[in-house]
Amino acid sequence: MASQVILRPWQRQDAQALTAIANNKKIWNQVRDRFPSPYTMVDALQWIAFCEKQQPLQQFCIAVGTQVVGSIGWISQEDVARKSAEIGYFIGESYWGKGFATAAINALTQHLESEGQLVRLFAHTFAHNKASMRVLQKAGFYLESIRRKAAYKNGEILDDYVWVKLIHH
């Protein structure tokens, strides 16, 4: 079923499905604090409007058929790091463990590699997010570093694991 994963632009009609999967404390616990919690329909519509303006498109809906299962995207770095991009993603809890995140990361990696502008992709995980670490390993990322006590989330100081994949042209 993971082979059926597609990455596509976010659309206004995705707002309800996005709200349903993103309004989950288990997801919020693994992402940056700027991710809204609770996640409302207004948040979803604002996110979709933001994504519609992107050139090039950097944030994608992860879908299986017509079903929204998550979100994935990348952020270009700047200046001397301009050949690098950070990736981020989440999958709705009811879709965990089905290979969708790995398939989405592989699809995004292929897309970015075909663009030919980047040489390095990286992702951050908190020390306790073993599932995301496994996903990144399956997608060909390696653990580059552990930034000790580099994150503050939910009142806790956490280690930040940096995962990297080099793209070859």
Side-chain angles (χ1 to χ4, degrees):
M1 204 157 149
S3 61
Q4 299 169 339
V5 165
I6 59 165
L7 305 187
R8 63 166 175 76
W10 283 103
Q11 302 162 356
R12 282 186 60 83
Q13 59 264 34
D14 297 327
Q16 190 169 357
L18 175 57
T19 302
I21 63 173
N23 188 30
N24 182 329
K25 206 68 159 167
K26 291 179 185 174
I27 291 173
W28 185 82
N29 286 336
Q30 309 306 327
V31 298
R32 300 222 167 110
D33 285 347
R34 67 176 171 244
F35 190 90
S37 181
Y39 198 101
T40 66
M41 182 72 95
V42 170
D43 295 318
L45 289 167
Q46 288 175 342
W47 174 250
I48 291 165
F50 167 78
C51 292
E52 288 174 338
K53 294 178 184 140
Q54 290 182 326
Q55 289 296 328
L57 188 61
Q58 292 181 279
Q59 306 297 325
F60 299 90
C61 171
I62 304 170
V64 175
T66 59
Q67 190 66 46
V68 173
V69 301
S71 180
I72 191 166
W74 57 282
I75 301 171
S76 296
Q77 303 302 288
E78 298 176 345
D79 203 304
V80 296
R82 65 187 167 272
K83 294 290 185 179
S84 297
E86 178 180 2
I87 68 163
Y89 53 89
F90 68 86
I91 300 292
E93 185 176 4
S94 59
Y95 305 105
W96 290 356
K98 300 183 187 320
F100 297 148
T102 303
I105 292 169
N106 286 334
L108 181 64
T109 300
Q110 289 170 3
H111 167 72
L112 294 173
E113 195 164 11
S114 72
E115 297 283 307
Q117 300 300 310
L118 298 171
V119 296
R120 183 178 191 272
L121 302 179
F122 66 95
H124 294 268
T125 64
F126 297 132
H128 59 263
N129 193 348
K130 303 300 185 206
S132 194
M133 291 184 197
R134 282 193 302 277
V135 163
L136 290 162
Q137 282 179 307
K138 287 180 192 172
F141 283 67
Y142 66 90
L143 180 61
E144 182 181 71
S145 66
I146 301 171
R147 300 183 327 151
R148 300 287 179 205
K149 300 183 186 232
Y152 183 73
K153 180 78 176 183
N154 281 334
E156 275 187 88
I157 306 249
L158 303 170
D159 291 347
D160 173 31
Y161 285 55
V162 181
W163 293 84
V164 172
K165 183 169 188 172
L166 301 178
I167 301 176
H168 304 287
H169 301 297

